Amino acid sequence: MSWISSVLGSSIGKKLLMALSGLFICFFLVIHLTGNLQLLAGDGGQSFNEYAKLMTSNPLIKFVSIGTYLVFLLHIIDGLMLVFANKKARPVKYAVGAKKGSSISSRNMGILGSIILVFLVIHLYNFWFAYKFGSVPTVDYGHGPVKNLYAVVALAFANPLYVILYVLSMVAIGFHLLHGFASAFQTLGLNHAKYNGIIRFAGIAYSILIPLGFAIIPIYFYLVLA
Amino acid sequence: MKVKVKVWRQKNASDKGGFKEYEVLTDPDSSFLEMIDVLNQDLLNKKEDPVAFDHDCREGICGACSMYINGQPHGPSKGTTTCQLHMRSFKDGDSITIEPWRAAAFPVIKDLVVDRTAFDRIIQAGGYISVNTGVTVDANAVPIEKEKADEAFKAAACIGCGACVAACKNASAMLFVSAKVSHLALLPQGAPEADIRAAKMLGQMDKEGFGSCTNTQACEAMCPKEISITHIARLNRQFFKSGFTASDQS
Amino acid sequence: MQLDSKIPEGDLADKWTKYKSKVKLVSPANKRRIEVIVIGSGLAGASAAASMAEMGYKVKCFCFQDSPRRAHSIAAQGGINAAKNYQNDGDSVFRLFYDTIKGGDFRSREANVHRLAEVSASIIDQCVAQGVPFAREYGGLLANRSFGGVQVSRTFYASGQTGQQLLLGAYSALSRQIAKGQVEMFNRHEMLDVVMIDGKARGIISRELITGKIDRHFGHAVVLASGGYGNVFFLSTNAMGSNVTAAWKAHKRGALMANPCFTQIHPTCIPVAGEHQSKLTLMSESLRNDGRVWVPKKKEDCNKDPRQIKEEDRDYYLERIYPAFGNLVPRDVASRAAKYMVDEGRGVGKTGVAVYLDFSDAIKRLGKHVIEERYSNLFEMYQRITDENPYEQPMRIYPAVHYTMGGLWVDYELSTNIPGLYAIGEANFSDHGANRLGASALMQGLADGYFVLPYTIGNYLSNDIRVDAIPTSHPAFDKAEQAVKERINKLMSIQGDLSVDHFHKKLGKIMWDKCGMSRHGDGLRQAQKEIAELREEFWSNVFVPGSDSEFNPELEKAGRVADFLELGELMVLDALTREESCGGHFREEYRTPEGEADRRDDLFTFVSAWKHTAVGQEAELVKEELEFNNVELKVRSYK
């Protein structure tokens, strides 16, 4: 096992883990958004609630979601380790900070990540924790009672503070992705003049569309339903 | 023209150091280092200690000069070393802050002079092709694709100044390491050692206390020789190949 | 004193082969016990240190820079010559030999130059094996370009950064040996004396530049690869730190200095812009392939915008005086012609000390894109420095000191007259005579370091296998260290009023005006007086700040300028006694009726090797007669 720890423990190895976990999370976000968009289906939450039940009861999906938690943890811990190691590499700061040569998001991935982490805790508390351990009303669509997560969502997004928090967090995620998406490919060594343009375009499109898709939901609930 | 310079003064490695401000009368055709020469002459006239700074060839190739000028290594001109930067890039009355390269792996020796021997040690870890003097293979025995040779040359153009480290928010030396790894990996002569070279040089880089690459691309933007981060991607590939496929991790 | 050049017997073409097959060897077991000191880490020093370490010697290598990779070889632009005949244009070892001898105006040693031509091909093989990315053709084979003064394409190059690539190759070989522990590298160290024991060089005294600590190092032999001394002129294309100190200390310990006045002045440099100028930048000689050199015919036009000066009011003086070669005359001729134009008052630019190099005709004839393709990097560099666009207005150029052919006298084995003390690369005098051809400096540095010295030094060291390392507590080390410390103390104690640069600039001006592109007996005699006075003033009124036990660049400079002041006197003396004009040495009194150089082969076909007597006293001339058995001494003509 020593070779694994020496490869993954090196500076490039740590970055490899960031890139792979990051790309996995990108994939997860697509699935998550697809599921969540059912909130906008206009069916009073039936499809969403049934989907939520499927996601929490299917043993295969349960297994995958444990993997997802672990990947998130890896991304967070590895990221924090990198941030601290990189801070140590420059113990004395410049008096005049750099303003050119790199994008704002690339310079602030740690801060953006930390904001997202805070959001994630609140987000999990709001919905995941509530769904699993809280008292959620149930509805019955004809095949037994189903927890009405839709109602929880609707309640939460009736609160303008939550709406603002969620929308701002999506902006942070957008910026995080703006650097992270293309950066992951560079870390994996996938840098080629012929494909860089595509990766860059896909990265920008992804980091706009996905957070936008998520952000629509609280706004919709707040403005349209409330 | 007259400029105000704020220079980092530090007597030696253990001194705390701090900024000092000076006014310098210079002219637009002077190089940046000639402006410092004038400042030093002024200081000498006042029997004060002149500002220590590394410099040698003053034509942009030896890689000795190393000033962090107004938030940019080698100052505001793109693809230019400090010695080739001219005062016409500034305006009369400008304030200019000059700092040494800042990195744990580049400790300050005096004023603007830092110790960059970490780069030497990284090269010593594997930045070479193991061939003794007196090989008998004719130089034209192995043709090399022009495109590859040109690409290798572009990587080999690195002058080892350390601007990439200075510019990187993580003080990472990845551009430097990758330029050498890439240069040698692109050539058939360097191929036999390509994997092990990447692993050893990276290992040394980590050991020296440089940060890791977070792909901000500041190094590429600030490199006086405009070395591309495609070399970093190549280093990554080479490193993965070595780490995950080479049978021996010595 | 008699000089033995130790040239092997036999035919010119067989000398080196025969020498190699007969030279004494040192067994691997003994090599491990033998220590060699190398001063300098440029092409010659790094290649020699690496090669000897590979052979098994214990090597200590010193450089004053913060890394061996920064030695000034790195700044060489154009290329490196080798008799490969890859272009099938009739090149051969003999042709390279002949071109070099002729280019050197018949003032170099046949046997050395032939050996240089012989090993040139191996250098290219070696460098390619190391991964030097030379320019290539689309077929994947190596490309060549032509260079001044020859009729074949034998120059290998890596864009305009050939020196950099070759040095990084040698540096990588050196680094490999450092990692193996075969070479101990001393960065930021300066050699301040050679230690002599029983008439042999047995070590050095060095100063750690960061702490100021004085150290002693033993070596069975000492190799000086410390480069040239062009910085005696203050303004030159040399690096700021390039200095004569190591060679000069050896000279003062008895090593002879040969042909010190042979200086190469490169015609195409960016002219001096102002009084604060610290250094001059070379523009590759290749520019003269397409650029036309001119000055205005009338003095009153000199301040005009050159584009407003009509064709008939321009004097394309090189084409006028040398119709056969035109703008492509050799370096020394082109430089001198520019000087004459400026002396006549027809120089251009703000300072009036420059001539035009005009590409407008070439752009008209070939199109801007062709010129861009050929010279864009040079044009960019020019624009960066001068803020003028050479596509739109003519460049201003002027000659500048570039290389010193003179140096420590060495025999065929590259040994100075002190046993155990070797000199290689630009530090020695051996191969370029009175003028060096373009792209030959890199060739010589690497030839000496990779392929000559590692063999010849064995011939000496084989007699030394029974000599154990001499402890540095030996009285000779005490004495040498004492002398070094006294000199430093003296420099520190003067506490005068004038900076080191003040003296350096003054010395440079004397040298440039009176011992530069052309020299006259009267001027030289005056220079002798002026330098002596300047030296005295230096030792009574120089100001060195700080202390000697810290990083003190002013102290380093002071020591170097002190040595330049002594060297300057010797150069002037050498120029004065060489009453002829040859190569880079042009005495105004010795010219043909047409005004060209008058080489006086009957009187001056010898090497002037100078023996140090005492500071302020004339050195003693020792002659090594030059014999030419394989070439005919011809007069160079470019008309």
Side-chain angles (χ1 to χ4, degrees), chain B:
Chain B
M1 65 189 280
K2 202 186 247 178
V3 288
K4 270 186 232 127
V5 288
K6 196 171 142 194
V7 187
W8 182 261
R9 300 302 309 262
Q10 181 174 340
K11 245 191 124 29
N12 51 47
S14 49
D15 182 31
K16 216 172 125 262
F19 284 102
K20 263 197 138 166
E21 285 195 60
Y22 307 95
E23 274 199 353
V24 189
L25 207 59
T26 177
D27 71 286
D29 284 335
S30 274
S31 75
F32 196 82
L33 296 186
E34 282 161 3
M35 184 273 289
I36 303 285
D37 288 342
V38 172
L39 165 62
N40 278 347
Q41 188 60 54
D42 291 348
L43 290 171
L44 283 168
N45 291 346
K46 289 187 264 175
K47 308 257 158 157
E48 286 176 37
D49 200 23
V51 178
F53 62 104
D54 266 326
H55 63 111
D56 203 23
C57 80
R58 296 207 178 186
E59 47 188 281
I61 195 75
C62 76
C65 57
S66 55
M67 295 179 187
Y68 194 83
I69 302 162
N70 282 350
Q72 277 175 277
H74 294 301
S77 298
K78 200 172 152 48
T80 303
T81 54
T82 300
C83 63
Q84 298 238 292
L85 176 67
H86 279 71
M87 291 313 292
R88 68 179 78 93
S89 300
F90 299 89
K91 289 191 300 289
D92 188 36
D94 269 2
S95 294
I96 306 170
T97 306
I98 312 171
E99 302 174 68
W101 283 179
R102 294 287 188 197
F106 287 167
V108 173
I109 291 171
K110 182 178 181 180
D111 298 340
L112 303 170
V113 177
V114 298
D115 180 356
R116 284 171 287 187
T117 46
F119 271 12
D120 283 334
R121 289 188 293 274
I122 291 175
I123 297 292
Q124 285 156 22
Y128 46 75
I129 290 172
S130 297
V131 54
N132 280 3
T133 303
V135 286
T136 49
V137 185
D138 185 83
N140 258 348
V142 183
I144 301 173
E145 248 177 275
K146 180 174 163 50
E147 201 186 320
K148 278 198 174 165
D150 288 350
E151 182 71 4
F153 169 76
K154 279 189 205 157
C158 167
I159 56 174
C161 64
C164 46
V165 174
C168 177
K169 74 178 191 62
N170 309 323
S172 173
M174 281 285 273
L175 193 66
F176 169 78
V177 175
S178 72
K180 187 47 67 189
V181 165
S182 200
H183 156 214
L184 295 177
L186 279 160
L187 300 170
Q189 298 90 323
E193 294 168 283
D195 292 354
I196 195 76
R197 179 183 304 119
K200 282 187 168 170
M201 289 180 72
L202 188 87
Q204 189 65 35
M205 180 191 106
D206 287 353
K207 215 159 92 187
E208 297 287 350
F210 292 103
S212 62
C213 174
T214 52
N215 306 327
T216 69
Q217 310 185 18
C219 54
E220 179 184 279
M222 297 298 156
C223 173
K225 296 294 145 184
E226 302 181 299
I227 291 179
S228 156
I229 58 156
T230 53
H231 300 299
I232 295 183
R234 187 174 291 108
L235 164 62
N236 291 351
R237 292 199 294 275
Q238 207 73 55
F239 180 78
F240 298 144
K241 187 159 163 264
S242 152
F244 295 113
T245 67
S247 58
D248 178 29
Q249 262 295 307
S250 60

Side-chain angles (χ1 to χ4, degrees), chain A residues 193-208:
Chain A
K194 280 188 178 162
Y195 307 104
N196 286 347
I198 300 170
I199 295 173
R200 211 175 310 127
F201 177 77
I204 294 169
Y206 183 93
S207 9
I208 293 172

Side-chain angles (χ1 to χ4, degrees), chain C residues 36-42 45-46 49-50 59-63 68 174 178 183-187 189:
Chain C
V36 182
I37 288 172
V38 178
I39 306 299
S41 65
V59 178
K60 283 180 168 180
C61 185
F62 294 78
C63 70
L174 177 65
I178 295 170
V183 175
E184 200 183 341
M185 187 71 218
F186 296 86
N187 299 347
H189 276 66

Side-chain angles (χ1 to χ4, degrees), chain B residues 34 41 47 54 56-59 62-63 88 110 120 132-134 138-140 144 156-157 160 183 189, chain C residues 51 54 67 70 84 86 125-126 128 131 140 142 164-165 171 176 188 240-241 278-279 384-385 496 499 551:
Chain B
E34 282 161 3
Q41 188 60 54
K47 308 257 158 157
D54 266 326
D56 203 23
C57 80
R58 296 207 178 186
E59 47 188 281
C62 76
R88 68 179 78 93
K110 182 178 181 180
D120 283 334
N132 280 3
T133 303
D138 185 83
N140 258 348
I144 301 173
H183 156 214
Q189 298 90 323
Chain C
S51 302
E54 286 162 9
S67 161
R70 307 210 200 280
K84 278 284 196 188
Y86 281 161
D125 298 342
Q126 178 66 29
V128 167
L142 292 162
Q164 180 200 25
Q165 294 309 317
Y171 163 73
R176 177 168 159 248
R188 293 199 199 261
M240 301 305 285
S278 58
K279 130 110 205 170
R384 196 175 298 146
I385 293 172
S499 70
F551 184 53

Side-chain angles (χ1 to χ4, degrees), chain C residues 47 132 139 209 217 249 252 282 306 327 333 394 466 555 618:
Chain C
S47 60
V132 171
L209 299 183
H217 298 275
K249 302 300 184 194
K252 288 174 89 170
L282 180 81
N327 294 298
V333 177
R466 276 177 212 85
L555 175 60
E618 263 193 19

